[in-house]
Every structure is written in structure tokens, then in C-alpha cells.
Amino acid sequence: MALFHYSCFPRLGLSAATPSSASSSRPFSRSTIAVAMAAASAVESQECGEAAAAAIDLSRYPIPVTPLTGAKEIEYERALVAEASMKSGPAITIDDVVFQDEWILVINKPCGVYSEHVLVSVPSLLGDSYSPQYPIEKSRGFFHLANRLDRDTSGIIVIARDKVAAGKLTNIFKSRELRKSYVALCVGKAPEWKRAVVESGHGKSRRGCWRVYSKHDVERSLPDGSVVKDMATKIEVIPSSLDEVKDGEEDDREQRIVVEAKMVDPEPGTGDEVFIRAVPLTGRTHQIRLHCQFLGLPLVGDVKYGGPLHWNGEKCQSHFLHSESIAFQHPMTGEVVEVIAPHPSWAAKLKFQASKNPKV
């Protein structure tokens, strides 16, 4: 019997553990699917839900510096595909497990699936005797999401398979005692700088969408009762092939970009292909996507934040963002765990090499 720790679904108010079972004919129970789908739908709707049209004195509140973009129909289509995938079977295979021991699992999540779908797929995966050394019985069927990725972001998800490890991992992620790096393919005018730290505010506008705010608006109140929070991201522009970097040409200078004014809206879907690596210094929702939008470098396929739906003659089924690496102290052994997730096809085509220790 698999026990899913549904404190990983805080937006639904589920804090009690809920049992579910897995069988060979059905990867996970209907009740588990229903709960996971409800969680995924709640997360997705809250990310960019329209607030009620109430009379608001907007002069009292800070003004976002990034534009509100459309694309609800595309987002809805992608959500339907992801939910259909939950009904069809597990989200991952044995090949997607990039690290495991008796306390934790590290999964390379495919794009287009919800993190909760990955979680409920784990029992059937381990039930296939993936690792005789750490069988499912040893973890007593307990699984807890230590982190999430957006539905269309691929890459590293950490899952605890022990209650004590779950608590410690939660503290590690909350306190940011770890290092993560992402890679993304953007489109726009290539910046003159090679490395930068972008500092801004982050919060929801009156329509309930995540937006970038000016740095000096941090701690100011927003229409939904929350406040603008600080947001910082290190970004490195990198060549698609390491052969493009010649000896002595690498520039280690880092530019600081403090967001104060509204961005200049670029023409959508035009410009250069710009490949970046990003290291989030804070843990805000859609942080990298928002900062890339502000810089005039929206992600390919990221229609929510101004990215082009079509690229190189093909329709994008997701945005091009991948969580490539993570490093943290093991919650039980104290050893440093460093993991690299294999790149998705769009990044592999660029012949880019992953790195455990990105210089940014």
C-alpha cells in the first residue's frame, strides 16, 4: 500500500495522509488520480486566474512592469493534454530516475506533465523492482514531493521516501540551502552582457496573474492582500556549442540589473535565439520565465509570458525550460548530492553540455 503525503497539496488544504493502491492493471487508483488532478487544476487556475471584477482604487497599489499577455486557449489545450496523460498511466519510466537511495528519489520529469502525476507514478515504478537494493517496502510506501516544477518545465524533482527525510528536505528547500540551475531557449535581441543578476519585485496583479514589479515596490501591498516580494535571478548567456568559446574570450564580468521602470515591449516571436543558464537566488513562482520576459527574452513556447507559439516552422507543445542540475546536503547522511538531469531534445539539438557547477 502506497502512502502519499498530501501536505504536498497545500492549496487544497489537504494535510492528512491519504492511502491509495497500485495494481498491474491500473497504475494508480481512481481516487488518487482524482485528487492529483484536482491539485493540478487548482495550481494551474491559481497561477493566472481572473480575479472578480470589483471596483478597486488602483492608485493605492504598485503597477506591474511587465505586460499581461493572452494565450488562455493554448494554456487550456496543454492542461487538457496533461490531464489526459494522468488517466492513461504513469508519467515516468525507469530511465527517468537519475538518483535514488533508501531515503530519496531524484526524477527527471518530462515536460507536459504535472509534478503530482510524477508523484503518483512512483509506486508502480518501484513496484516493478527497479532497485532490489532499495525496494518499496523499505520506504513503507511513503512519498513526498520536496519540490515542484511547472507543468511544462522538464527536469529535476526530488521525492522523499521517508517521513524524517521529507521534513529535512522541506527545510532545505525552504531555507534555500541548495543550488539549482536551469537552461532555457529564449528569443529576442541578444543582450550585450554575458552574465547578469536581475533584481526585482514579484507578485500578483489585480487579475491574479504573476507579474514583475519594481524593486522599490517590495513589501508594498497588492490588491489580493499579499505584498510584493523580492526576486533575484543570475543569468548567463551561453553559446549553443562550447566550440564557440575560444581561449581567453570568456568574460567573467557580471552586470547588475535592478528593475525600476516598465519594460519596453519587444515585437513578439522575433529576434535571435538566445540560450541561457539561470540560477534562481529566490524561490518565486515562474521566476525565470518572468525575468526573461522583462529582459525582452521570452522563452520559446512560453505563450503565457510573450514567447512565440511557433518556432522553426513547428508548433511548440510546451515552453523550453529545463531544470538541469541540483546540489544539496543529503538530509540523512550529510553527504553532498549532486545530480544532472539529461537534457530534453530541444537542448540536445543545440549540442550544449550540462554542468554541475555553473559559473553563474
Side-chain angles (χ1 to χ4, degrees):
M1 177 175 289
L3 179 66
F4 293 97
H5 193 228
Y6 283 120
S7 61
C8 64
F9 300 147
R11 290 185 177 92
L12 292 180
L14 298 174
S15 58
T18 303
S20 67
S21 61
S23 67
S24 58
S25 60
R26 186 171 67 238
F28 34 81
S29 68
R30 291 181 181 177
S31 61
T32 301
I33 293 175
V35 172
M37 287 180 65
S41 298
V43 171
E44 196 66 25
S45 63
Q46 283 195 6
E47 286 178 347
C48 196
E50 291 267 352
I56 299 175
D57 180 8
L58 297 180
S59 64
R60 297 174 48 198
Y61 301 106
I63 299 174
V65 298
T66 48
L68 180 65
T69 57
K72 287 184 180 179
E73 293 181 0
I74 300 300
E75 285 293 304
Y76 182 64
E77 289 176 8
R78 291 176 178 176
L80 287 179
V81 171
E83 291 186 6
S85 141
M86 294 185 76
K87 297 178 182 178
S88 65
I92 53 176
T93 67
I94 289 174
D95 293 337
D96 295 317
V97 178
V98 291
F99 175 86
Q100 82 151 318
D101 60 20
E102 60 185 291
W103 297 288
I104 62 177
L105 291 162
V106 181
I107 307 292
N108 183 23
K109 183 185 89 68
C111 67
V113 300
Y114 294 108
S115 297
E116 289 78 8
H117 188 185
V118 173
L119 180 68
V120 297
S121 300
V122 169
S124 61
L125 180 72
L126 298 188
D128 290 335
S129 300
Y130 166 68
S131 174
Q133 185 180 4
Y134 306 115
I136 190 170
E137 291 79 11
K138 190 154 189 175
S139 65
R140 299 178 182 177
F142 177 94
F143 302 102
H144 171 84
L145 278 174
N147 71 306
R148 286 180 186 77
L149 294 176
D150 297 334
R151 179 195 63 221
D152 292 339
T153 300
S154 59
I156 290 174
I157 284 183
V158 182
I159 297 175
R161 53 192 301 185
D162 174 273
K163 290 184 178 180
V164 176
K168 291 184 177 181
L169 275 173
T170 298
N171 290 333
I172 288 172
F173 277 87
K174 282 184 176 180
S175 62
R176 309 291 299 171
E177 295 176 356
L178 48 78
R179 187 174 181 84
K180 296 189 291 183
S181 71
Y182 294 72
V183 290
L185 180 61
C186 306
V187 56
K189 183 180 178 181
E192 295 180 359
W193 47 263
K194 296 300 181 184
R195 305 178 194 276
V197 178
V198 185
E199 301 176 17
S200 72
H202 172 274
K204 283 187 176 181
S205 67
R206 64 186 180 91
R207 294 183 180 273
C209 297
W210 296 110
R211 309 282 285 280
V212 176
Y213 287 82
S214 169
K215 175 77 170 179
H216 67 248
D217 284 330
V218 171
E219 299 301 331
R220 288 187 63 186
S221 297
L222 292 169
D224 66 353
S226 64
V227 298
V228 177
K229 296 183 179 180
D230 66 308
M231 179 166 67
T233 311
K234 286 189 174 185
I235 296 177
E236 175 191 14
V237 177
I238 46 182
S240 60
S241 170
L242 294 184
D243 293 336
E244 296 180 23
V245 179
K246 298 179 180 179
D247 292 341
E249 287 188 356
E250 193 166 354
D251 187 353
D252 288 329
R253 290 176 297 178
E254 186 174 87
Q255 181 169 330
R256 184 183 179 210
I257 300 173
V258 179
V259 176
E260 295 179 348
K262 192 171 183 178
M263 65 174 287
V264 177
D265 296 346
E267 185 177 348
T270 62
D272 305 313
E273 280 189 352
V274 181
F275 199 43
I276 69 163
R277 176 183 278 126
V279 174
L281 303 181
T282 51
R284 309 302 178 207
T285 303
H286 298 177
Q287 172 168 331
I288 295 171
R289 298 165 63 189
L290 284 164
H291 271 163
C292 285
Q293 180 195 26
F294 173 80
L295 294 171
L297 295 169
L299 276 58
V300 171
D302 193 2
V303 293
K304 179 176 284 188
Y305 295 118
L309 176 60
H310 295 85
W311 194 246
N312 289 337
E314 297 183 5
K315 183 178 179 179
C316 301
Q317 303 302 318
S318 64
H319 56 244
F320 288 6
L321 178 64
H322 177 69
S323 174
E324 69 161 351
S325 72
I326 191 169
F328 59 93
Q329 189 175 42
H330 195 290
M332 306 302 289
T333 67
E335 297 179 358
V336 176
V337 177
E338 291 184 286
V339 180
I340 291 179
H343 282 160
S345 59
W346 61 263
K349 289 178 182 177
L350 297 173
K351 299 180 180 178
F352 177 73
Q353 296 184 11
S355 172
K356 287 185 181 179
N357 300 299
K359 292 186 178 181
V360 294

